Amino acid sequence: MLARLGSGAASPALFSRLGGGLRALSGAAPKRIAVLPGDGIGPEVMAEALKVLTAVEKISPARFATETHLIGGAAWDAHGVHFPDATRAACGKADAILFGSIGGPTAESDKPKWANAERNALLGLRKAFTLAVNLRPATVYPMLASLSPLRPDIIAQGVDILVVRELVGGIYFGAHTTDGDRATDVMEYSAAQIRTALKFGFEVAQKRRKHLTVVDKANVLDCSRLWRRVATEMAPSYPDVVMDFMLVDNAAMQIIKAPAFFDVLCTENMFGDILSDAASVLPGSLGLMPSASLGETVHLFEPSGGSAPDIAGKGIANPIAQILSAALMLRYSFNMEAEARLVEDAVSAVLADGLRTGDIALKGQPTVGTAQMGDAIVAKMLASKK
């Protein structure tokens, strides 16, 4: 059952679990989850994700042990740092990290509590646990198609994209220098870093529609040419996956113009940052967008949106992105494909029933609060197993 953690346990190896029907057995050690609600709406939406995990325990052999720790502004209040040693240690002992959000009001961004909070905490987590690959799915739900900025005829072709972004290399982590009116930012990649991202891209494509698009700027950049060489070398090992290449400027256009073309899109750090943000607009709300960051010893799962301090404490935030992040955790950290699909199907069913939080409601449409949305998703899960 959901409970506080005890002593440490070994974590799964990077990319060793892509889902495939294996389930937790009754009597097995519970899966250990470090819960980091963070700031703003983080604690509110996290509470709903934990409700969902409790429901998973009721209808499957799965068992979870959780421990909640502080991060971001909440950690600053208690410890004077954004990423305390106790939080780092708990994450290192866990099988997975379920993360909420970080950040405070824009008007207070220069105060010590909030200045560099995201950089210290998020980049600290990425560095500490070598979170080398980021996953950002973007799916347009048919019942929410009117929220998408895309034309109906484009949506009708289907929008279900998974962006796989290399997360610890490239220009963000290269050398940075400034000398008067001259600045330099270095993009650097090794073949090993590229293989890590592409391996996951190929393997997850095998589980989806078997199409991998590698996005680069190979007409200009040597780093991109290395990406193409490594991808070409790896492709024969995945004969069931159709691989193609696309320049990043074209990819930015095609995500809007013809998103149905894409299944899995794999790319380097900066390109992935930009393209995943572009894709995140398509469903109509960040409140629907989960994400995962996969590491060598532990994976992290979080909503793509921010802490939304303007609505924190009002009970109106959309918990779906946090709940779907928990579903990704079930799939990629715990190999619980059936349980992950159960959660995702419950979300779809609730939306099909017409339940809407404020961010996904049309003008004049009734809305529900954070807890009501979470309760409805849990009810669908439980009803599906009666």
Side-chain angles (χ1 to χ4, degrees):
M1 60 185 297
L2 287 169
R4 291 186 63 81
L5 288 170
S7 59
S11 300
L14 181 63
F15 315 141
S16 63
R17 301 179 178 183
L18 293 177
L22 297 178
R23 295 165 61 101
L25 300 176
S26 297
K31 302 299 183 182
R32 301 163 57 85
I33 306 169
V35 178
L36 312 182
D39 305 317
I41 63 171
E44 299 168 64
V45 296
M46 185 67 76
E48 304 312 307
L50 295 179
K51 283 183 188 176
V52 165
L53 293 179
T54 298
V56 170
E57 289 184 315
K58 290 180 179 178
I59 55 184
S60 83
R63 294 295 177 265
F64 307 109
T66 68
E67 181 171 314
T68 300
H69 281 270
L70 300 174
I71 199 163
W76 183 272
D77 286 340
H79 302 287
V81 294
H82 295 121
F83 187 22
D85 290 342
T87 300
R88 184 192 305 267
C91 291
K93 295 176 182 177
D95 297 309
I97 304 166
L98 192 57
F99 184 90
S101 57
I102 284 179
T106 302
E108 299 179 16
S109 60
D110 60 336
K111 294 184 177 180
K113 177 177 178 178
W114 302 118
N116 298 319
E118 292 189 33
R119 182 172 68 184
N120 293 340
L122 280 176
L123 293 187
L125 280 162
R126 291 174 186 174
K127 181 178 180 180
F129 301 108
T130 317
L131 301 177
V133 178
N134 179 248
L135 309 183
R136 289 276 294 272
T139 302
V140 174
Y141 291 93
M143 69 288 290
L144 299 179
S146 60
L147 299 177
S148 177
L150 298 177
R151 297 197 317 261
D153 60 305
I154 296 176
I155 295 174
Q157 299 175 47
V159 181
D160 182 12
I161 305 169
L162 179 63
V163 178
V164 178
R165 169 190 170 192
E166 197 288 324
L167 201 58
V168 294
I171 200 166
Y172 292 167
F173 287 85
H176 306 283
T177 61
T178 302
D179 182 11
D181 292 335
R182 184 180 181 86
T184 302
D185 300 291
V186 176
M187 177 185 287
E188 182 177 1
Y189 268 106
S190 68
Q193 287 175 310
I194 296 168
R195 287 190 197 98
T196 296
L198 285 171
K199 181 177 186 294
F200 188 83
F202 277 112
E203 291 182 356
V204 77
Q206 289 179 313
K207 302 290 183 178
R208 288 171 52 97
R209 301 192 303 279
K210 304 184 188 306
H211 178 200
L212 176 66
T213 301
V214 180
V215 173
D216 56 38
K217 192 63 175 172
N219 58 335
V220 176
L221 300 177
D222 285 339
C223 281
S224 287
R225 292 171 188 143
L226 181 60
W227 271 78
R228 288 208 177 192
R229 192 199 85 191
V230 173
T232 301
E233 292 170 352
M234 294 177 68
S237 297
Y238 304 91
D240 55 334
V241 175
V242 175
M243 182 192 71
D244 50 36
F245 297 103
M246 185 177 293
L247 296 177
V248 65
D249 39 359
N250 186 29
M253 292 188 290
Q254 298 305 324
I255 279 180
I256 307 303
K257 181 181 177 182
F261 171 82
F262 296 102
D263 175 19
V264 179
L265 185 160
C266 186
T267 190
E268 66 90 40
N269 202 342
M270 182 172 67
F271 297 162
D273 190 3
I274 296 167
L275 293 176
S276 61
D277 280 352
S280 73
V281 175
L282 306 185
S285 172
L286 283 174
L288 302 168
M289 298 288 294
S291 75
S293 297
L294 309 183
E296 292 181 345
T297 59
V298 67
H299 306 335
L300 179 147
F301 305 87
E302 63 175 317
S304 296
S307 61
D310 56 320
I311 62 170
K314 297 181 180 180
I316 61 175
N318 189 344
I320 288 178
Q322 188 76 66
I323 289 169
L324 291 177
S325 295
L328 293 182
M329 178 182 69
L330 295 174
R331 174 173 291 119
Y332 293 118
S333 275
F334 303 152
N335 200 29
M336 297 178 185
E337 178 64 24
E339 289 83 352
R341 287 187 179 274
L342 177 68
V343 175
E344 293 163 348
D345 289 347
V347 169
S348 294
V350 165
L351 294 175
D353 285 346
L355 270 71
R356 303 286 185 268
T357 46
D359 60 311
I360 56 174
L362 299 176
K363 186 176 181 179
Q365 191 173 17
T367 62
V368 298
T370 308
Q372 292 94 324
M373 180 61 84
D375 289 342
I377 292 168
V378 167
K380 287 290 184 184
M381 293 170 61
L382 298 178
S384 71
K385 292 300 180 180
K386 286 184 178 179

